[in-house]
Amino acid sequence: MTRGPSALHRLPAGAKLAALAAGSLGLILVDSLPGVLAALGLVAAGYAAARISPRLAWEQVRPVALLVAILFGAQIWMIGLEPAAVVALRVVVLVALAGLVTLTTRAGDLLATIERAAHPLRGVGVDPARMALVLSLAIRGIPVLADVSRRVQDAQRARGRRDVRAYAVPVVVGALRRADAVSEALAARGRAD
Amino acid sequence: MTESVTSTAPASTAPAPTRPAAVAAQVGTFAALIAVFGVAGTIPVPGLLVPVTLQTLAVMLAGALLGPRRGAAAVLTLLALAAVGLPVLSGGRGGLGVFVSPSAGYLLGWVVAAFVVGLLVDRSVGRRGRLAFWPVLVACLVGGIGALYAVAIPILALVTGMDLAAAALANIVYLPGDALKAVLAASVTVGVARAYPAVLTHRGF
Amino acid sequence: MSSGIVLDDVHVRLGDRDVLRGVDLRLTEHRIGIVGANGSGKSTLARLLNGLVLPTRGRVSVDGLDTARSGPAVRRRVGFVFTDPDAQILMPTVAEDVEYSLPRTLPRAERARRVAEALTTVGLAEHAEHPAHLLSGGQKQLLALTSVLVTEPRVVVADEPTTLLDLRNTREIAARLLALPQQLVLVSHDLDVVAGTDRVLVVDEGRLVADDEPGPALDHYRRLMS
Amino acid sequence: MSSGIVLDDVHVRLGDRDVLRGVDLRLTEHRIGIVGANGSGKSTLARLLNGLVLPTRGRVSVDGLDTARSGPAVRRRVGFVFTDPDAQILMPTVAEDVEYSLPRTLPRAERARRVAEALTTVGLAEHAEHPAHLLSGGQKQLLALTSVLVTEPRVVVADEPTTLLDLRNTREIAARLLALPQQLVLVSHDLDVVAGTDRVLVVDEGRLVADDEPGPALDHYRRLMS
Ligand SMILES: Nc1ncnc2c1ncn2[C@@H]1O[C@H](COP(=O)(O)OP(=O)(O)OP(=O)(O)O)[C@@H](O)[C@H]1O
Ligand SMILES: Nc1ncnc2c1ncn2[C@@H]1O[C@H](COP(=O)(O)OP(=O)(O)OP(=O)(O)O)[C@@H](O)[C@H]1O
Ligand SMILES: O=C(O)CCCC[C@@H]1SC[C@@H]2NC(=O)N[C@@H]21
Ligand SMILES: [Mg+2]
Ligand SMILES: [Mg+2]
């Protein structure tokens, strides 16, 4: 993974998130081909500045490649070649920009930013510390439940049966039991409030 | 920190399920559960813009089993993890890109879906004091399909530049699968309530 | 058609690890024990026997059936008991879980009869309609064993089936397993349990380092662990 | 203020079961072992000691603090190690989990220092930034123990902390626990481990049926189990 330090990597996560939001909104106003091409160039320059390999960059937009192709094809008939290219490229730029932020920012920093952003919401009952706890518990829970899921799938295979209900019931019960265990472990660590 | 248990309260091995720490545990764990369902059940259909995934089933289950607020909070937690780039969506995807892609409306719709499913299940449980198949099925159809599509289709139209009718039409491919998932969600919910009766007290009414 | 379990130059590579290396075995004894440190490859060896894991190189066969080519047929022949009773109980209630093992093609009444019979044998009949997850640890493991035995497998493989149990339940489950008429392959950390088998394999770092009667094999293992 | 752990005519009723009945105890020894069959009430007894379970009747106090009235203060004094380390490792990475035990009021640098020190002591320092799920079973239990010890509790209660481990890891964790300067209350099915304590309680069907030095107490337990 290319997370090497660059000016972009070092930029505060909050600034990058704000730039992404502003960029996404601003892009809606751009409706000329030279405009979106310029935006695309700007984003490409960002990838270059962050020293992200073209392969990794492509991975960011690949999931929407098909959509863009279909969109482009369909729109040519309806609105003409150039406007269709604008609509399709806009999606590419958006996704690429979002990918650039994701690639140059550590998950932990983004989480911390989300928590800080939640501080003003304390008035409406959001507790940033609790939010941070829930996010951590979720991250920690994934490998544990993935393990439960694997064991249940093994048990199904060993019994020569596979169906969604006999998968989902034990895995969900496993999740509920884990929730109980976590809640007790929190209490044992003095976090029962 | 206040200790809400007194010496006259009945002893219990776990803190009361309505305590904030217990709620945090449930919400965090169900967010993880939705992520895990994305690994176990994704059907890659070539040509579809948005994946067909069992995560929709997990979203309905979160609403049905945790109730409206905790269910929606579990989905929001999952979305936060996706946003910071963790591979929690089906096919191991994540990152901010999904929120500007055709998936965006569905992801937002999941929050509403879990909430509506939870609300409707709460109503039926409140009346009968237990989880029964038919009311849960209705809740999953209304919340997990109706409410979800109501949010997702307009956003799909917005993101792709299609008009509403075209977006609704494009969305039709998901209907049979989602209907099946609603049936499964109801059956699993009832199964879980029988296997683990404590879940009823966990919903906390 | 050769009977018994045969492993022929079996290698297993998982991720970037050689988990088992060059294992040759012919298991025909009634009760076979497997011991070894954490991560030595015991579970992998056990899983090979019913095709839950397939060899990266070499061949595993049960009564002449290749596990790689005849997975479902092998699994009908080889029942598997896992360590964690919670993960292998797939249905909400005790009776439903046992019934889940039976083929849907059997008439309903016949299935019910066999479930009731199996539950009576292990003394769980009175719990038939109970939520399975409310049973005690020992009862859950008994249920897991029952759900395996109801299909009448020729071989039972058990991967540390008593690890989560206390002395009394360990003894009960171990005694039941060792008394089975079926061939038994038993992975366990509990040397007292393994002592009751007819042949013991000691696994270390993916290799078979001892294969003997329980006495000498367990001595070897104790030396290895100290 | 009386020091030590005192149970005074303690009854615990869970659901419709009397899980503990009339337990009177004064625990002042350095290392105390608890043995008993599955379901006899060992975990309930252990959980009483830090207020995770409260008595339905009677009173439990630690150094004079009533567990029912001073829960948080008792839990700062009594650290608890569970059987399944996965259930008590709450944070994604090793260092984060240890840090989570420390009060938020400590300066950040001080917290980091204490985390690093604690991880170095148990030999997990090089894993500090690793996700917890990549640790082995033994390492996970070591981490769980570290996250308890970093808060410097006066008493450590451990409920079958070696049940999920193999021989080598069992010995390591048991040796560490028995060598702690703190008072230790250790529930275990592993009689070799319990033999290293100073006093052993045998629980059966919710009652204390023996309370003696390890030798005679474990003999009593063995007779009970046979
Ligand atoms: N899917 C996998 N990918 C990579 N390595 C794996 C995988 N599954 C198991 N291993 C590794 O293979 C080795 C053997 O695992 P196995 O489960 O067979 O050990 P074991 O002897 O049963 O241990 P235990 O006593 O802990 O149950 C371990 O080092 C384990 O980490
Ligand atoms: N919440 C509960 N409601 C009802 N009964 C309970 C509850 N928790 C525990 N019990 C019962 O209380 C008894 C004692 O449980 P406890 O967990 O203390 O036993 P244990 O000696 O630790 O057993 P094990 O060796 O299996 O860990 C058991 O019969 C158990 O089924
Ligand atoms: O992972 C994503 O990118 C979002 C997936 C959204 C999937 C939607 S939810 C409703 C419909 N039913 C499916 O199975 N898939 C879509
Ligand atoms: Mg194993
Ligand atoms: Mg216990």
Side-chain angles (χ1 to χ4, degrees), chain D residues 119-175:
Chain D
L119 287 175
T120 305
T121 310
V122 296
L124 283 178
E126 56 172 313
H127 298 289
E129 299 309 321
H130 287 182
H133 70 267
L134 294 185
L135 299 180
S136 73
Q139 288 173 326
K140 280 184 190 169
Q141 195 56 287
L142 216 49
L143 169 58
L145 180 59
T146 309
S147 293
V148 165
L149 292 181
V150 74
T151 63
E152 299 173 356
R154 192 193 61 71
V155 186
V156 173
V157 179
D159 187 4
E160 303 193 30
T162 63
T163 297
L164 299 179
L165 309 179
D166 73 349
L167 222 54
R168 193 176 316 182
N169 283 314
T170 292
R171 289 198 186 140
E172 159 154 20
I173 296 285

Side-chain angles (χ1 to χ4, degrees), chain C residues 38 163-164 166 168-169 225, chain D residues 37-38 164 166 168 189 225:
Chain C
N38 276 148
T163 296
L164 303 178
D166 74 346
R168 193 181 310 185
N169 281 316
M225 286 292 97
Chain D
N38 275 149
L164 299 179
D166 73 349
R168 193 176 316 182
H189 286 140
M225 287 291 98

Side-chain angles (χ1 to χ4, degrees), chain C residues 22-83:
Chain C
V23 178
D24 276 299
L25 275 173
R26 167 167 223 105
L27 305 175
T28 48
E29 290 76 7
H30 182 185
R31 292 163 302 204
I32 291 138
I34 301 179
V35 296
N38 276 148
S40 55
K42 302 180 297 298
S43 294
T44 308
L45 182 52
R47 280 153 188 271
L48 277 170
L49 307 184
N50 75 340
L52 280 178
V53 170
L54 296 177
T56 320
R57 208 176 85 198
R59 201 182 112 96
V60 178
S61 68
V62 178
D63 302 342
L65 293 166
D66 188 323
T67 58
R69 266 176 298 157
S70 318
V74 167
R75 284 189 278 275
R76 271 194 295 281
R77 214 163 274 248
V78 182
F80 203 104
V81 181
F82 296 84
T83 310

